Amino acid sequence: MTMGDLKRISLGSDHGGFELKELISSHLKEIGHEVLDRGCFDPGPVDYPDVAALVCSDLLSFTADLGILVCGTGIGMCNAASRLDGIVAALCTNEYMARMARMHNDANVLCLGGRVTGTDLALSIIDEFIEAIPLQDDRYLRRRDKVRGMG
Ligand code: RB5
């Protein structure tokens, strides 16, 4: 990885993803990325839409390049983030999904389930997501535009 590949990553979780979020934060820092940790900051219960909104707002204001959201299953975070214009959230359970989410779907937020995906796999999914580059091929761009046009 060269310096040019280093990203600003906005990271958030609810209580169901707290433990994994802490490990993700250390991993990202260790490999040189900048982490904007938007909580939660302890394992006490919090509402996942509140955290999803903070992370998505970093992306929409260009404060971050990519977002990572973790809840128990990843489903709530993915639903919440997907409501916002300009956000393409993808719930991924393996590296292939993560790579395709970037390359074909131009996803900018990765969602993970802290109670579903083990730590090593989660970190490997994250590495794929960060390293993959969205394809600029006509057919992928056309499909992305159709999705955006769905309102
Ligand atoms: C919290 O218990 C749990 O519902 C939440 O983390 C998430 O899995 C929701 O989709």
Side-chain angles (χ1 to χ4, degrees), residues 14-16 48 71-77 115:
D14 73 353
H15 49 290
Y48 60 81
C71 62
T73 58
I75 295 171
M77 285 296 196
R115 295 173 181 156

Side-chain angles (χ1 to χ4, degrees), residues 82-102:
S82 297
R83 300 295 299 256
L84 298 167
D85 239 359
I87 299 297
V88 180
L91 172 57
C92 298
T93 55
N94 62 46
E95 293 96 335
Y96 177 76
M97 290 171 78
R99 195 162 56 251
M100 290 303 117
R102 288 287 289 146

